Every structure is written in C-alpha cells, then in structure tokens.
Amino acid sequence: MDAAEIRQFLEGSGLRCTPQRFAVMAFLTEHNRHATAAEIFEAVNRVDPRSSRATTYNNLRDLVQAGLVREVAVEGRGARFEAIGVPHHHFVCDHCGNVEDLEWYDVPKPAGGSLGKRVVRECELIFRGLCSNCAQRSASG
Amino acid sequence: MDAAEIRQFLEGSGLRCTPQRFAVMAFLTEHNRHATAAEIFEAVNRVDPRSSRATTYNNLRDLVQAGLVREVAVEGRGARFEAIGVPHHHFVCDHCGNVEDLEWYDVPKPAGGSLGKRVVRECELIFRGLCSNCAQRSASG
DNA sequence: GAAGTTTTTAGACTATATCTAATCTGAGAT
DNA sequence: ATCTCAGATTAGATATAGTCTAAAAACTTC
Ligand SMILES: [Mn+2]
Ligand SMILES: [Mn+2]
Ligand SMILES: [Zn+2]
Ligand SMILES: [Zn+2]
C-alpha cells in the first residue's frame, strides 16, 4: 500500500490525514508483525515528524474504530495491532511469544441453537504451540 | 469439583495445597466466569484466610504453569483466567465485554504444508458480536 | 485572517503486574 | 516432639501499560 492509498483510506473513514496518524498507518501496513503500542510509538519516532505517546494511543484507537486496524487478542501485557488486510488466522508461539499469520480458511459456525440470541460479527482462530524456530531449537537441544 | 479433588489436583502437579492456593483454585472451579486477577484477589479475600496481591498473582502463575488454569486470550486491560475443564470455545461481546463459553466442536486444522515446521498444541476459537442481552437491548432500543 | 474544530503535546494520573527482602509454614528427617 | 529448610506468603516498592488534562498548534470554513 502506497502513501496515496493510505491517505485515501484515512480520509474515506472521516479521519484527517495528519503526519502522525499517517505514520502509524504506514508503519502497520509496511511491517506486518503484530506490533505493540510501544513498538509503534518507538518506530514512528525514528522518523520525522515525531509523535507523542498520547497521540500514538489516540491514533491507534481512532484507526481501530474506523475499521482500518485490528487489535489482536493475545494473552500477555501489551495490546498488539495490525492493519486489516486479507483475512487470516493466527499462530502464537508458546516459547518466544511471536504471533504469526496463517492462511485463511473457513471455520464452521457453532451448531444451530447453541448460539442462542447472540449475533456473530466475526470469528478468530488462534493456534498455539512452537513456531518453526523454537520447534527446531527444542528438537536439536 | 469438591475440596478433596482440588487438593489432589494441586498435589498431583507438585504444588503444595496452601490455603491461599486452594482458595484461588476453588474460586475458579466454582465460578466459571473468566475472572480477572483483581476479581480473584477480591473474592478470595472475602473468606479467610486472606491472601496478598503478590500471592494471588504467584498462584495464578503457578496454576497456569501446572496446566490447571488457563489464561484466556482477550483484548483489553486485565488478563482473565479460568479453570481448565471440558474443552470449549469463546464468545466475546463487543458491547459489554462479557466472555461466554460455547460448546466445543472440532475445528479443521490448517491445510497440510501451510503449518510448515510449527508444532500445534491447541487451538482456540473466539467469536465476537453481541451477547443475548446486548442484542435484545440494541434491537428494542 | 477570524472563528471554530480537530489534533497534538507533556506530563500527571490510573490500572495492571512484578520484584524484593523479610518472614512464615509445614512435611520429612532425626 | 523438635529441627530444618525449601517452598510459600507478605507489604510495599517498582515497573509497565494505558488514559486523562489543559494548553498550544494545525487545519477548515467562512
Ligand atoms: Mn495477523
Ligand atoms: Mn471459558
Ligand atoms: Zn517461537
Ligand atoms: Zn453484551
């Protein structure tokens, strides 16, 4: 995604394309690695213009509300964010904590009736275990 | 699960059955509601013996390591815990944040090859949307 | 370019979790 | 029964994550 597209995305969602907001969105589209707010704050502050911590949090909140960014549900201390792109599932490594993308495939919904009156908007599938690196290391260790 | 069973579970996992640790485990087995550490701390301190905050966190960590308790992956501030019982999936309400259990059913694994060298230990399926209460309220509102 | 709105900012504040070092407890050894 | 000592608990300090405030800056509209 290039700069013009990011600008269009933001303005199409009713958000001004400020340099700070653009920087957050650009970082998330360039680096698909489920970054924490702290990592994003640090990354956007390595380039001008700088962004305060509050603004980084504010912009992440705005981008999530606008549906351009998703907060990934993982246990642990800091929330993690990713730009919404193609649908996919997640793999979380027990050992190193890395969150990796898995190719999307359809997941069966719960059997009729067991949902009751609930209204489903989306589903998220998370696998846990050892990532490639950690699996190899523990096999050879 | 009664007191004797909890004691057996703890000792079978190499954990002493201290009053504080027992109280955490008993609360989680009695109340299946994905409690935060703060809620657990408060609950075990409504009955004797009392437990410090550090001990509540220590015991939750020990119980998770021993495989008797699971930290549920949800976005938001505080980690949530549940006693490991029968397998199930989760439903998280967009509006009120409640985490509810859904009946278990098998989820297809990723297609061969797309996992690479990763080793899968478990999978978790999370649905999001409106819970029964919030769905009714928003329909009639 | 004046007026009004949104955004940014530094730093205070709140919430959540971990660490530290002293003390206590209890199960096995004697 | 008493000793012993690893394991457990404690209060409080510290660390980390996130939110709030009030003032200034940036932008939009007139
Ligand atoms: Mn992802
Ligand atoms: Mn559950
Ligand atoms: Zn790993
Ligand atoms: Zn609800």
Side-chain angles (χ1 to χ4, degrees):
Chain A
M1 186 176 323
D2 69 5
E5 281 179 290
I6 291 176
R7 172 180 295 270
Q8 280 184 331
F9 259 118
L10 293 177
E11 290 174 351
S13 303
L15 296 172
R16 275 196 204 157
C17 183
T18 67
Q20 292 85 353
R21 192 172 280 152
F22 178 92
V24 168
M25 196 63 204
F27 175 82
L28 286 175
T29 55
E30 277 163 35
H31 306 87
N32 182 23
R33 49 176 160 111
H34 312 97
T36 63
E39 288 166 348
I40 296 165
F41 170 68
E42 201 224 0
V44 302
N45 276 301
R46 278 198 295 261
V47 300
D48 274 335
R50 317 186 83 69
S51 185
S52 75
R53 220 156 49 88
T55 296
T56 304
Y57 277 103
N58 287 344
N59 281 331
L60 284 168
R61 191 226 310 110
D62 294 344
L63 291 168
V64 168
Q65 270 179 7
L68 302 177
V69 167
R70 175 200 342 266
E71 181 180 339
V72 182
V74 285
E75 65 279 58
R77 296 290 300 268
R80 286 162 177 274
F81 300 88
E82 66 179 353
I84 288 187
V86 298
H88 58 273
H89 301 307
H90 283 127
F91 183 94
V92 182
C93 180
D94 289 331
H95 187 248
C96 68
N98 249 15
V99 181
E100 301 173 343
D101 289 349
L102 292 178
E103 223 173 291
W104 171 264
Y105 57 89
D106 271 322
V107 174
K109 293 254 181 305
S114 95
L115 273 176
K117 297 198 171 71
R118 288 180 275 244
V119 180
V120 173
R121 177 177 54 80
E122 66 165 25
C123 89
E124 180 175 4
L125 182 53
I126 303 173
F127 290 92
R128 287 164 214 292
L130 295 175
C131 73
S132 303
N133 281 346
C134 294
Q136 283 186 289
R137 223 159 277 168
S138 76
S140 68
Chain B
M1 187 177 319
D2 69 4
E5 281 180 290
I6 291 176
R7 172 180 293 272
Q8 279 184 331
F9 259 118
L10 294 176
E11 290 174 350
S13 302
L15 296 171
R16 278 197 202 157
C17 182
T18 66
Q20 291 84 352
R21 191 172 281 151
F22 179 92
V24 169
M25 195 66 203
F27 175 81
L28 287 176
T29 55
E30 276 163 36
H31 307 86
N32 183 23
R33 47 176 162 112
H34 313 98
T36 64
E39 287 166 349
I40 297 165
F41 171 68
E42 200 223 359
V44 302
N45 278 300
R46 278 200 296 262
V47 299
D48 275 334
R50 315 185 83 71
S51 185
S52 75
R53 220 155 43 91
T55 295
T56 304
Y57 277 103
N58 286 344
N59 281 330
L60 284 168
R61 190 228 308 111
D62 294 344
L63 290 168
V64 169
Q65 270 180 6
L68 302 177
V69 167
R70 174 197 347 265
E71 182 181 338
V72 181
V74 285
E75 66 278 57
R77 296 291 298 270
R80 286 163 177 271
F81 299 88
E82 67 179 353
I84 289 188
V86 298
H88 58 273
H89 300 307
H90 283 127
F91 183 94
V92 182
C93 181
D94 289 332
H95 186 249
C96 68
N98 249 15
V99 181
E100 302 173 343
D101 289 348
L102 292 179
E103 222 173 291
W104 171 265
Y105 56 89
D106 271 322
V107 175
K109 294 256 180 301
S114 95
L115 273 176
K117 296 198 171 71
R118 287 180 275 245
V119 180
V120 174
R121 177 176 55 78
E122 66 164 26
C123 90
E124 180 176 4
L125 183 53
I126 303 173
F127 290 91
R128 286 165 215 291
L130 295 176
C131 74
S132 304
N133 281 346
C134 294
Q136 284 188 287
R137 223 160 279 169
S138 76
S140 68

PDB file of all heavy atoms in Angstrom, chain A residues 3 8 10 14-15 30-31 33 38 49 54 57-58 64-65 77 83 86-87 98 111 126-127 134:
ATOM      1  N   ALA A   3       1.606   5.632  -0.251  1.00  0.00           N
ATOM      2  CA  ALA A   3       1.195   6.791   0.538  1.00  0.00           C
ATOM      3  C   ALA A   3      -0.182   7.298   0.131  1.00  0.00           C
ATOM      4  O   ALA A   3      -1.016   7.609   0.981  1.00  0.00           O
ATOM      5  CB  ALA A   3       2.233   7.897   0.395  1.00  0.00           C
ATOM      6  N   GLN A   8      -6.020   8.013   1.159  1.00  0.00           N
ATOM      7  CA  GLN A   8      -7.417   7.762   0.761  1.00  0.00           C
ATOM      8  C   GLN A   8      -8.177   6.981   1.815  1.00  0.00           C
ATOM      9  O   GLN A   8      -9.321   7.283   2.134  1.00  0.00           O
ATOM     10  CB  GLN A   8      -7.446   6.997  -0.554  1.00  0.00           C
ATOM     11  CG  GLN A   8      -7.232   7.875  -1.777  1.00  0.00           C
ATOM     12  CD  GLN A   8      -7.365   7.090  -3.056  1.00  0.00           C
ATOM     13  OE1 GLN A   8      -7.085   5.892  -3.071  1.00  0.00           O
ATOM     14  NE2 GLN A   8      -7.782   7.747  -4.119  1.00  0.00           N
ATOM     15  N   LEU A  10      -7.630   6.854   5.027  1.00  0.00           N
ATOM     16  CA  LEU A  10      -7.912   7.675   6.200  1.00  0.00           C
ATOM     17  C   LEU A  10      -9.064   8.621   5.914  1.00  0.00           C
ATOM     18  O   LEU A  10     -10.036   8.684   6.682  1.00  0.00           O
ATOM     19  CB  LEU A  10      -6.660   8.462   6.595  1.00  0.00           C
ATOM     20  CG  LEU A  10      -5.477   7.629   7.103  1.00  0.00           C
ATOM     21  CD1 LEU A  10      -4.273   8.518   7.391  1.00  0.00           C
ATOM     22  CD2 LEU A  10      -5.870   6.869   8.356  1.00  0.00           C
ATOM     23  N   GLY A  14     -13.219   9.317   7.273  1.00  0.00           N
ATOM     24  CA  GLY A  14     -13.530  10.526   8.022  1.00  0.00           C
ATOM     25  C   GLY A  14     -12.435  10.959   8.962  1.00  0.00           C
ATOM     26  O   GLY A  14     -12.669  11.744   9.883  1.00  0.00           O
ATOM     27  N   LEU A  15     -11.222  10.449   8.742  1.00  0.00           N
ATOM     28  CA  LEU A  15     -10.098  10.852   9.599  1.00  0.00           C
ATOM     29  C   LEU A  15      -9.162  11.746   8.806  1.00  0.00           C
ATOM     30  O   LEU A  15      -8.795  11.424   7.668  1.00  0.00           O
ATOM     31  CB  LEU A  15      -9.329   9.610  10.076  1.00  0.00           C
ATOM     32  CG  LEU A  15     -10.078   8.628  10.970  1.00  0.00           C
ATOM     33  CD1 LEU A  15      -9.244   7.375  11.178  1.00  0.00           C
ATOM     34  CD2 LEU A  15     -10.424   9.276  12.289  1.00  0.00           C
ATOM     35  N   GLU A  30       3.440  -1.439   6.434  1.00  0.00           N
ATOM     36  CA  GLU A  30       4.751  -1.899   5.976  1.00  0.00           C
ATOM     37  C   GLU A  30       5.247  -3.116   6.748  1.00  0.00           C
ATOM     38  O   GLU A  30       5.897  -3.991   6.208  1.00  0.00           O
ATOM     39  CB  GLU A  30       5.794  -0.776   6.130  1.00  0.00           C
ATOM     40  CG  GLU A  30       5.793   0.221   4.985  1.00  0.00           C
ATOM     41  CD  GLU A  30       6.528   1.491   5.378  1.00  0.00           C
ATOM     42  OE1 GLU A  30       7.510   1.397   6.134  1.00  0.00           O
ATOM     43  OE2 GLU A  30       6.083   2.579   4.944  1.00  0.00           O
ATOM     44  N   HIS A  31       5.002  -3.118   8.064  1.00  0.00           N
ATOM     45  CA  HIS A  31       5.530  -4.173   8.921  1.00  0.00           C
ATOM     46  C   HIS A  31       4.368  -4.979   9.481  1.00  0.00           C
ATOM     47  O   HIS A  31       3.707  -4.548  10.408  1.00  0.00           O
ATOM     48  CB  HIS A  31       6.330  -3.589  10.070  1.00  0.00           C
ATOM     49  CG  HIS A  31       7.410  -2.670   9.631  1.00  0.00           C
ATOM     50  ND1 HIS A  31       7.188  -1.339   9.416  1.00  0.00           N
ATOM     51  CD2 HIS A  31       8.718  -2.884   9.357  1.00  0.00           C
ATOM     52  CE1 HIS A  31       8.319  -0.773   9.023  1.00  0.00           C
ATOM     53  NE2 HIS A  31       9.262  -1.687   8.982  1.00  0.00           N
ATOM     54  N   ARG A  33       3.686  -7.215  11.675  1.00  0.00           N
ATOM     55  CA  ARG A  33       4.213  -8.071  12.737  1.00  0.00           C
ATOM     56  C   ARG A  33       3.548  -7.874  14.094  1.00  0.00           C
ATOM     57  O   ARG A  33       4.171  -8.054  15.126  1.00  0.00           O
ATOM     58  CB  ARG A  33       5.711  -7.905  12.860  1.00  0.00           C
ATOM     59  CG  ARG A  33       6.162  -6.456  12.915  1.00  0.00           C
ATOM     60  CD  ARG A  33       7.664  -6.505  13.138  1.00  0.00           C
ATOM     61  NE  ARG A  33       8.321  -5.298  12.777  1.00  0.00           N
ATOM     62  CZ  ARG A  33       8.876  -4.474  13.652  1.00  0.00           C
ATOM     63  NH1 ARG A  33       8.785  -4.704  14.923  1.00  0.00           N
ATOM     64  NH2 ARG A  33       9.523  -3.410  13.241  1.00  0.00           N
ATOM     65  N   ALA A  38       3.914   0.301  22.190  1.00  0.00           N
ATOM     66  CA  ALA A  38       5.249   0.823  22.489  1.00  0.00           C
ATOM     67  C   ALA A  38       6.161   0.715  21.276  1.00  0.00           C
ATOM     68  O   ALA A  38       6.930   1.630  20.982  1.00  0.00           O
ATOM     69  CB  ALA A  38       5.847   0.071  23.679  1.00  0.00           C
ATOM     70  N   PRO A  49       7.714  13.448  11.173  1.00  0.00           N
ATOM     71  CA  PRO A  49       7.671  14.190  12.416  1.00  0.00           C
ATOM     72  C   PRO A  49       7.434  13.257  13.587  1.00  0.00           C
ATOM     73  O   PRO A  49       6.868  12.184  13.436  1.00  0.00           O
ATOM     74  CB  PRO A  49       6.467  15.102  12.220  1.00  0.00           C
ATOM     75  CG  PRO A  49       5.564  14.302  11.368  1.00  0.00           C
ATOM     76  CD  PRO A  49       6.435  13.457  10.497  1.00  0.00           C
ATOM     77  N   ALA A  54       0.674   9.914  23.832  1.00  0.00           N
ATOM     78  CA  ALA A  54      -0.790  10.033  23.854  1.00  0.00           C
ATOM     79  C   ALA A  54      -1.346  10.001  22.438  1.00  0.00           C
ATOM     80  O   ALA A  54      -2.370   9.369  22.176  1.00  0.00           O
ATOM     81  CB  ALA A  54      -1.192  11.320  24.572  1.00  0.00           C
ATOM     82  N   TYR A  57      -1.422   6.489  21.015  1.00  0.00           N
ATOM     83  CA  TYR A  57      -2.571   5.747  21.536  1.00  0.00           C
ATOM     84  C   TYR A  57      -3.873   6.269  20.929  1.00  0.00           C
ATOM     85  O   TYR A  57      -4.748   5.496  20.538  1.00  0.00           O
ATOM     86  CB  TYR A  57      -2.615   5.830  23.061  1.00  0.00           C
ATOM     87  CG  TYR A  57      -1.725   4.831  23.750  1.00  0.00           C
ATOM     88  CD1 TYR A  57      -0.511   5.206  24.293  1.00  0.00           C
ATOM     89  CD2 TYR A  57      -2.106   3.497  23.858  1.00  0.00           C
ATOM     90  CE1 TYR A  57       0.304   4.284  24.935  1.00  0.00           C
ATOM     91  CE2 TYR A  57      -1.306   2.569  24.496  1.00  0.00           C
ATOM     92  CZ  TYR A  57      -0.091   2.971  25.039  1.00  0.00           C
ATOM     93  OH  TYR A  57       0.717   2.061  25.661  1.00  0.00           O
ATOM     94  N   ASN A  58      -4.016   7.590  20.864  1.00  0.00           N
ATOM     95  CA  ASN A  58      -5.236   8.161  20.289  1.00  0.00           C
ATOM     96  C   ASN A  58      -5.426   7.680  18.856  1.00  0.00           C
ATOM     97  O   ASN A  58      -6.529   7.291  18.470  1.00  0.00           O
ATOM     98  CB  ASN A  58      -5.166   9.693  20.299  1.00  0.00           C
ATOM     99  CG  ASN A  58      -5.338  10.262  21.686  1.00  0.00           C
ATOM    100  OD1 ASN A  58      -5.789   9.561  22.596  1.00  0.00           O
ATOM    101  ND2 ASN A  58      -4.960  11.519  21.858  1.00  0.00           N
ATOM    102  N   VAL A  64      -8.646   1.857  14.928  1.00  0.00           N
ATOM    103  CA  VAL A  64      -9.429   0.656  15.240  1.00  0.00           C
ATOM    104  C   VAL A  64     -10.917   0.965  15.069  1.00  0.00           C
ATOM    105  O   VAL A  64     -11.648   0.211  14.437  1.00  0.00           O
ATOM    106  CB  VAL A  64      -9.122   0.147  16.662  1.00  0.00           C
ATOM    107  CG1 VAL A  64     -10.131  -0.916  17.086  1.00  0.00           C
ATOM    108  CG2 VAL A  64      -7.703  -0.412  16.738  1.00  0.00           C
ATOM    109  N   GLN A  65     -11.353   2.117  15.603  1.00  0.00           N
ATOM    110  CA  GLN A  65     -12.762   2.494  15.475  1.00  0.00           C
ATOM    111  C   GLN A  65     -13.178   2.630  14.014  1.00  0.00           C
ATOM    112  O   GLN A  65     -14.289   2.261  13.640  1.00  0.00           O
ATOM    113  CB  GLN A  65     -13.020   3.815  16.193  1.00  0.00           C
ATOM    114  CG  GLN A  65     -13.411   3.632  17.653  1.00  0.00           C
ATOM    115  CD  GLN A  65     -13.647   4.969  18.340  1.00  0.00           C
ATOM    116  OE1 GLN A  65     -13.653   6.020  17.706  1.00  0.00           O
ATOM    117  NE2 GLN A  65     -13.832   4.910  19.650  1.00  0.00           N
ATOM    118  N   ARG A  77       1.055  -8.782  28.260  1.00  0.00           N
ATOM    119  CA  ARG A  77       0.875  -7.439  28.759  1.00  0.00           C
ATOM    120  C   ARG A  77       0.349  -6.436  27.742  1.00  0.00           C
ATOM    121  O   ARG A  77      -0.672  -5.815  27.943  1.00  0.00           O
ATOM    122  CB  ARG A  77       2.196  -6.942  29.359  1.00  0.00           C
ATOM    123  CG  ARG A  77       2.635  -7.737  30.577  1.00  0.00           C
ATOM    124  CD  ARG A  77       1.738  -7.489  31.773  1.00  0.00           C
ATOM    125  NE  ARG A  77       1.737  -6.091  32.159  1.00  0.00           N
ATOM    126  CZ  ARG A  77       2.534  -5.554  33.042  1.00  0.00           C
ATOM    127  NH1 ARG A  77       3.401  -6.302  33.660  1.00  0.00           N
ATOM    128  NH2 ARG A  77       2.474  -4.284  33.335  1.00  0.00           N
ATOM    129  N   ALA A  83      -2.650  -3.852  10.667  1.00  0.00           N
ATOM    130  CA  ALA A  83      -3.521  -3.282   9.651  1.00  0.00           C
ATOM    131  C   ALA A  83      -4.429  -4.389   9.150  1.00  0.00           C
ATOM    132  O   ALA A  83      -4.013  -5.538   9.017  1.00  0.00           O
ATOM    133  CB  ALA A  83      -2.692  -2.704   8.513  1.00  0.00           C
ATOM    134  N   VAL A  86      -5.882  -8.956   4.165  1.00  0.00           N
ATOM    135  CA  VAL A  86      -6.638 -10.154   3.815  1.00  0.00           C
ATOM    136  C   VAL A  86      -6.916 -10.928   5.103  1.00  0.00           C
ATOM    137  O   VAL A  86      -6.093 -10.929   6.027  1.00  0.00           O
ATOM    138  CB  VAL A  86      -5.856 -11.025   2.812  1.00  0.00           C
ATOM    139  CG1 VAL A  86      -5.646 -10.253   1.525  1.00  0.00           C
ATOM    140  CG2 VAL A  86      -4.521 -11.474   3.376  1.00  0.00           C
ATOM    141  N   PRO A  87      -8.085 -11.598   5.180  1.00  0.00           N
ATOM    142  CA  PRO A  87      -8.406 -12.366   6.387  1.00  0.00           C
ATOM    143  C   PRO A  87      -7.369 -13.465   6.602  1.00  0.00           C
ATOM    144  O   PRO A  87      -6.825 -14.018   5.649  1.00  0.00           O
ATOM    145  CB  PRO A  87      -9.779 -12.978   6.052  1.00  0.00           C
ATOM    146  CG  PRO A  87     -10.323 -12.192   4.924  1.00  0.00           C
ATOM    147  CD  PRO A  87      -9.139 -11.689   4.161  1.00  0.00           C
ATOM    148  N   ASN A  98       6.008 -15.049  19.698  1.00  0.00           N
ATOM    149  CA  ASN A  98       5.737 -14.485  18.376  1.00  0.00           C
ATOM    150  C   ASN A  98       4.323 -14.811  17.893  1.00  0.00           C
ATOM    151  O   ASN A  98       3.832 -15.900  18.147  1.00  0.00           O
ATOM    152  CB  ASN A  98       6.736 -15.052  17.362  1.00  0.00           C
ATOM    153  CG  ASN A  98       7.704 -13.995  16.894  1.00  0.00           C
ATOM    154  OD1 ASN A  98       7.812 -12.941  17.515  1.00  0.00           O
ATOM    155  ND2 ASN A  98       8.397 -14.271  15.807  1.00  0.00           N
ATOM    156  N   ALA A 111     -23.122 -25.109  16.055  1.00  0.00           N
ATOM    157  CA  ALA A 111     -24.348 -25.761  15.635  1.00  0.00           C
ATOM    158  C   ALA A 111     -25.557 -24.877  15.942  1.00  0.00           C
ATOM    159  O   ALA A 111     -25.534 -24.125  16.922  1.00  0.00           O
ATOM    160  CB  ALA A 111     -24.497 -27.102  16.347  1.00  0.00           C
ATOM    161  N   ILE A 126      -7.093 -19.092  16.770  1.00  0.00           N
ATOM    162  CA  ILE A 126      -5.716 -18.965  17.251  1.00  0.00           C
ATOM    163  C   ILE A 126      -5.159 -20.350  17.539  1.00  0.00           C
ATOM    164  O   ILE A 126      -5.746 -21.102  18.323  1.00  0.00           O
ATOM    165  CB  ILE A 126      -5.663 -18.134  18.545  1.00  0.00           C
ATOM    166  CG1 ILE A 126      -6.278 -16.755  18.335  1.00  0.00           C
ATOM    167  CG2 ILE A 126      -4.233 -18.010  19.044  1.00  0.00           C
ATOM    168  CD1 ILE A 126      -6.392 -15.960  19.621  1.00  0.00           C
ATOM    169  N   PHE A 127      -4.048 -20.679  16.909  1.00  0.00           N
ATOM    170  CA  PHE A 127      -3.342 -21.912  17.237  1.00  0.00           C
ATOM    171  C   PHE A 127      -2.179 -21.568  18.146  1.00  0.00           C
ATOM    172  O   PHE A 127      -1.578 -20.500  18.032  1.00  0.00           O
ATOM    173  CB  PHE A 127      -2.827 -22.599  15.967  1.00  0.00           C
ATOM    174  CG  PHE A 127      -3.921 -23.180  15.139  1.00  0.00           C
ATOM    175  CD1 PHE A 127      -4.517 -22.443  14.129  1.00  0.00           C
ATOM    176  CD2 PHE A 127      -4.380 -24.463  15.372  1.00  0.00           C
ATOM    177  CE1 PHE A 127      -5.551 -22.970  13.377  1.00  0.00           C
ATOM    178  CE2 PHE A 127      -5.409 -25.006  14.627  1.00  0.00           C
ATOM    179  CZ  PHE A 127      -5.998 -24.257  13.624  1.00  0.00           C
ATOM    180  N   CYS A 134      11.518 -22.205  17.174  1.00  0.00           N
ATOM    181  CA  CYS A 134      11.562 -22.803  18.511  1.00  0.00           C
ATOM    182  C   CYS A 134      11.414 -24.314  18.445  1.00  0.00           C
ATOM    183  O   CYS A 134      12.000 -25.032  19.258  1.00  0.00           O
ATOM    184  CB  CYS A 134      10.488 -22.189  19.389  1.00  0.00           C
ATOM    185  SG  CYS A 134      10.793 -20.436  19.715  1.00  0.00           S
TER     186      CYS A 134
END
